[in-house]
Amino acid sequence: LHLFNNNLTGQILISFGNLTKLTELYLFNNQLSGFICQELGNLKSLTGLALYENNINGLIPASLGNLSNLTLLYLYSNHLSGFFPQELGSLVKPTSLALQENHLTGSIPSSLGDLSNLVEMRLRINQLSNFIPQEIMKLIKIKDLVLSSNNFSSSYPKKHV
């Protein structure tokens, strides 16, 4: 379902959660507002979820961690807030995770180090803090890791030889 670049307004429909055979939900570059509904976690066939460049706020629902076929998760350039959901670390197949330019707080979950297929992770321009977890060094396929403009401590993980 590709509805990007349409100047859509309003909230993401809860009824999208009933489209269980859907493989792509691309609603980016609209004027959507409100929350990401937890019902999107029912879309087990979803490989791509792109909601970037909207006015979406609130938390990233933990239910997105149920999307076992998801390879691309783009939620950047919204007004998402709260802690980075630990459940995203249980995704099986993601290659691209882009959550930059939001208001996410707290630590990067160490479980993200288990995303062995991750090639791209962009978390810049948030309010993430504490340490960058050592587990990030397990991301051996990563080519694009952008963590700038956050509130991390001065320490960074070191690769063990």
Side-chain angles (χ1 to χ4, degrees), residues 70-160:
L70 198 67
T71 59
L72 178 142
L73 179 61
Y74 283 176
L75 303 179
Y76 64 87
S77 296
N78 277 294
H79 303 287
L80 297 169
S81 60
F83 290 110
F84 196 114
Q86 181 80 22
E87 292 80 3
L88 293 185
S90 63
L91 293 170
V92 179
K93 300 179 180 180
T95 57
S96 297
L97 179 64
L99 306 177
Q100 73 266 21
E101 298 176 36
N102 279 294
H103 306 286
L104 300 176
T105 57
S107 301
I108 296 175
S110 60
S111 60
L112 291 187
D114 296 329
L115 303 179
S116 59
N117 292 315
L118 205 58
V119 175
E120 168 191 38
M121 182 165 64
R122 297 180 181 183
L123 303 177
R124 70 182 170 88
I125 310 175
N126 274 292
Q127 296 160 12
L128 298 169
S129 59
N130 298 325
F131 297 96
I132 298 169
Q134 181 70 34
E135 291 79 3
I136 294 296
M137 298 307 296
K138 294 177 8 184
L139 300 174
I140 58 172
K141 293 183 182 178
I142 200 89
K143 294 181 191 273
D144 190 9
L145 176 62
V146 185
L147 304 175
S148 58
S149 299
N150 278 289
N151 297 316
F152 297 119
S153 72
S154 59
S155 298
Y156 58 92
K158 294 176 176 61
K159 186 171 185 171
H160 290 104

